[in-house]
């Protein structure tokens, strides 16, 4: 049994080493490079273990990584800080102007994708001789349909797109995981046979109001209190500490109140990021706060994407489920295409959200650590290994393949690109 300090030292050292190697040799985007190198290291260890079984390298590292509860690390640790960092950098005024687009993509798009992925995955499982209950197929649809805010924000750092479209993508990614988690919770209860009143129409509406509405309200309240506290003083160490306390306190309180922690910290981050720089922070404080949250974002992103790559060592996939997992990739892509196209064609909000941009929005639907964490949190059942393998296949494909080619897709499909990005 190793200590938390030893685990942190191992992950930070590997992140620094792989980041340096990626910078010197691969020249991939930082987050993608860490995932690829983590994945490559995992595969290399498996090969070495087969070639030199007496060394026990695979067993030793697997035992160490097995002590990392990926679901708790992501959902109860990193996620709050990463979401707050992303929300702080988002222009609230621009988001308000595109509120209709963001809300429709986050809500309607997630519901459409969940239904399509669930139905198609259920049919594919039956066709491949691996029957899967429809309820568990819909659970997979719910956890894989929302675009991952951490992965999307990391990917957009390396792609230049029109500002309005970037705001819509960031807004969708920051808010749709709240919808997805509510759907996931309801569908897991139903699939596990413990749904009861929670799976009725009234129960779902109540859960949505409590989780999403309660989370947003809590975030606004705590964010406003933090803003007023920062406005009352001019002391950058204390103001920096207030932002850290805001994130940790808001997320912890949301869990106690059974509200959505992710939506709460997003709301708090949007409010503080919009109001505080105007009349609550001096230029010096702004510099320290911005630098701190940029650093937190980069470090936690590095560790998270490394963990996704290394997680192959501790996950257990059945060979018979790999073909079905491969089928999940085109299923999710088609569902994303329909989920994006339907709202766009129905509402035609503005110039950027046009049918011509559908290919880019489809390809930009990146999934990440949140989907893996939700899949790992499933109760033990015959369906868990199937859902987990499919989730991991989709996450790897979207981050590596879609993430690396998104710039090329943008240049070919988007109109009115920022200066310097011509088709």
């Amino acid at each position: 049994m190793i200590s938390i300090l030893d685990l942190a030292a191992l992950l930070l050292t590997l992140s620094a080493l792989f980041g340096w190697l990626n910078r010197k040799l691969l020249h991939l985007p930082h987050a993608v490079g860490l995932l690829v190198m983590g994945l490559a290291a995992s595969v290399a260890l498996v090969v070495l273990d087969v070639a030199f079984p007496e060394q026990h390298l695979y067993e030793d590292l697997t035992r160490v990584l097995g002590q990392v509860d990926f679901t708790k690390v992501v959902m109860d640790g990193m996620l709050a800080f990463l979401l707050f960092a992303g929300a702080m950098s988002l222009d609230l005024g621009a988001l308000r102007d595109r509120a209709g687009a963001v809300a429709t993509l986050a809500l309607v798009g997630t519901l459409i994708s969940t239904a399509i992925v669930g139905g198609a995955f259920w049919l594919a499982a039956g066709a491949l001789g691996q029957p899967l209950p429809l309820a568990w197929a819909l659970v997979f649809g719910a956890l894989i349909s929302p675009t991952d805010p951490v992965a999307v924000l990391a990917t957009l750092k390396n792609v230049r797109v029109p500002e309005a479209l970037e705001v819509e993508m960031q807004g969708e990614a920051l808010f749709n995981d709240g919808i997805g988690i509510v759907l996931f919770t309801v569908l897991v209860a139903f699939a596990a046979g413990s749904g009861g009143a929670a799976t009725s129409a009234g129960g779902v509406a109540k859960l949505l109001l409590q989780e999403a509405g309660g989370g947003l309200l809590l975030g606004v309240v705590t964010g406003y209190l933090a803003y007023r506290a920062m406005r009352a003083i001019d002391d950058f160490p204390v103001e920096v500490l207030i932002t850290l306390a805001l994130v940790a306190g808001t997320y912890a309180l949301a869990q106690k109140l059974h509200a959505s922690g992710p939506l709460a910290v997003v709301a708090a981050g949007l409010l503080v990021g919009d109001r505080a720089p105007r009349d609550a922070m001096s230029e010096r404080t702004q510099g320290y706060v911005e630098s701190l949250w940029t650093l937190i974002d980069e470090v936690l992103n590095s560790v998270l994407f490394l963990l996704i790559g290394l997680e192959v060592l501790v996950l257990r996939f059945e060979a018979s489920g790999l073909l079905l997992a491969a089928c999940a990739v085109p299923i999710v892509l088609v569902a994303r295409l329909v989920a994006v196209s339907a709202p766009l064609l129905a509402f035609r909000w503005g110039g950027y959200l046009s049918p011509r941009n559908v290919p880019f929005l489809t390809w930009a639907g990146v999934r990440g650590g949140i989907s893996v964490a939700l899949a790992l949190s499933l109760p033990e059942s015959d369906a868990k290994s199937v859902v987990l393998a499919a989730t991991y296949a989709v996450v790897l494909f979207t981050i590596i393949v879609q993430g690396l080619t998104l710039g090329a897709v943008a240049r070919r499909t988007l109109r009115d690109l920022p200066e310097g990005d011509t088709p």
Side-chain angles (χ1 to χ4, degrees):
M1 189 75 175
I2 66 174
S3 68
I4 294 177
L5 177 60
D6 292 335
L7 281 173
L10 173 65
L11 293 175
L12 288 173
T13 302
L14 287 176
S15 297
L17 175 61
F18 288 170
W20 185 85
L21 290 173
N22 174 60
R23 185 72 174 178
K24 295 291 288 185
L25 302 175
L26 300 182
H27 307 293
L28 295 173
H30 180 65
V32 179
L34 284 172
L35 187 151
V36 169
M37 297 195 75
L39 187 62
S42 299
V43 174
L45 278 173
V46 173
V47 173
L48 286 173
D49 187 67
V50 173
F52 306 101
E54 68 279 0
Q55 299 299 319
H56 304 294
L57 294 174
Y58 174 82
E59 291 181 8
D60 292 342
L61 188 54
T62 298
R63 186 168 57 253
V64 171
L65 290 174
Q67 297 180 42
V68 179
D69 189 328
F70 189 89
T71 300
K72 285 189 176 297
V73 167
V74 175
M75 302 302 291
D76 297 337
M78 295 181 178
L79 184 59
F81 294 91
L82 288 168
L83 289 179
F84 186 83
M88 279 272 290
S89 64
L90 191 58
D91 186 339
L92 182 58
L95 180 63
R96 191 182 297 116
D97 293 338
R98 320 298 290 187
V102 170
T104 306
L105 285 173
L107 177 58
V108 178
T110 301
L111 292 172
I112 291 174
S113 178
T114 298
I116 294 175
V117 170
F121 193 67
W122 175 65
L123 292 173
L128 292 174
Q130 292 181 283
L132 182 72
L134 179 59
W136 285 114
L138 288 171
V139 167
F140 171 64
L143 68 87
I144 207 66
S145 289
T147 54
D148 187 288
V150 179
V152 169
L153 294 175
T155 302
L156 284 176
K157 292 176 183 177
N158 307 296
V159 181
R160 299 182 67 193
V161 299
E163 183 179 354
L165 182 57
E166 183 175 356
V167 167
E168 286 158 357
M169 290 175 59
Q170 290 176 333
E172 177 200 6
L174 286 170
F175 286 105
N176 68 3
D177 61 301
I179 304 298
I181 290 173
V182 172
L183 282 175
F184 174 81
T185 303
V186 172
L187 289 170
V188 167
F190 181 77
S194 58
T199 56
S200 66
V204 172
K206 181 180 178 181
L207 184 61
L208 181 61
L209 180 63
Q210 178 179 337
E211 287 272 347
L216 291 172
L217 179 60
L218 176 64
V220 170
V221 171
T222 57
Y224 183 75
L225 291 175
Y227 155 71
R228 296 296 299 184
M230 295 167 72
R231 188 179 179 185
I233 61 172
D234 183 15
D235 187 354
F236 77 86
V238 177
E239 293 178 74
V240 166
L241 189 59
I242 287 173
T243 62
L244 290 170
L246 172 63
V247 178
T250 298
Y251 202 85
L253 186 57
Q255 291 184 318
K256 297 295 183 183
L257 298 176
H258 302 291
S260 172
L263 289 178
V265 295
V266 166
L270 287 172
L271 190 149
V272 171
D274 179 64
R275 299 289 295 272
R278 286 188 285 173
D279 57 9
M281 291 192 295
S282 64
E283 289 188 12
R284 186 184 188 191
T285 300
Q286 287 184 50
Y288 278 107
V289 170
E290 183 178 344
S291 298
L292 171 72
W293 284 101
T294 299
L295 182 63
I296 288 174
D297 185 52
E298 292 296 336
V299 171
L300 291 184
N301 258 316
S302 299
V303 175
L304 175 58
F305 281 87
L306 173 67
L307 272 175
I308 294 174
L310 292 176
E311 197 69 12
V312 169
L313 289 173
V314 294
L315 297 180
R316 293 290 179 262
F317 302 131
E318 296 181 7
S320 59
L322 295 181
L323 180 58
L324 180 58
C327 291
V329 174
I331 288 173
V332 171
L333 277 173
V334 171
R336 173 68 180 173
L337 173 63
V338 177
V340 169
S341 302
L344 290 181
L345 297 175
F347 297 101
R348 302 281 185 92
W349 295 294
Y352 290 109
L353 276 177
S354 69
R356 182 178 177 179
N357 295 339
V358 167
F360 175 78
L361 286 170
T362 301
W363 203 245
V366 183
R367 278 72 173 185
I370 295 177
S371 294
V372 176
L374 291 176
L376 286 169
S377 73
L378 290 173
E380 293 300 326
S381 67
D382 293 337
K384 181 173 181 176
S385 62
V386 176
V387 171
L388 186 56
T391 301
Y392 209 79
V394 172
V395 167
L396 290 181
F397 182 87
T398 59
I399 293 177
I400 298 175
V401 179
Q402 293 176 220
L404 290 178
T405 57
L406 194 58
V409 174
R411 288 190 293 273
R412 288 181 174 275
T413 62
L414 294 181
R415 56 190 178 86
D416 300 327
L417 281 173
E419 186 177 350
D421 275 9
T422 54

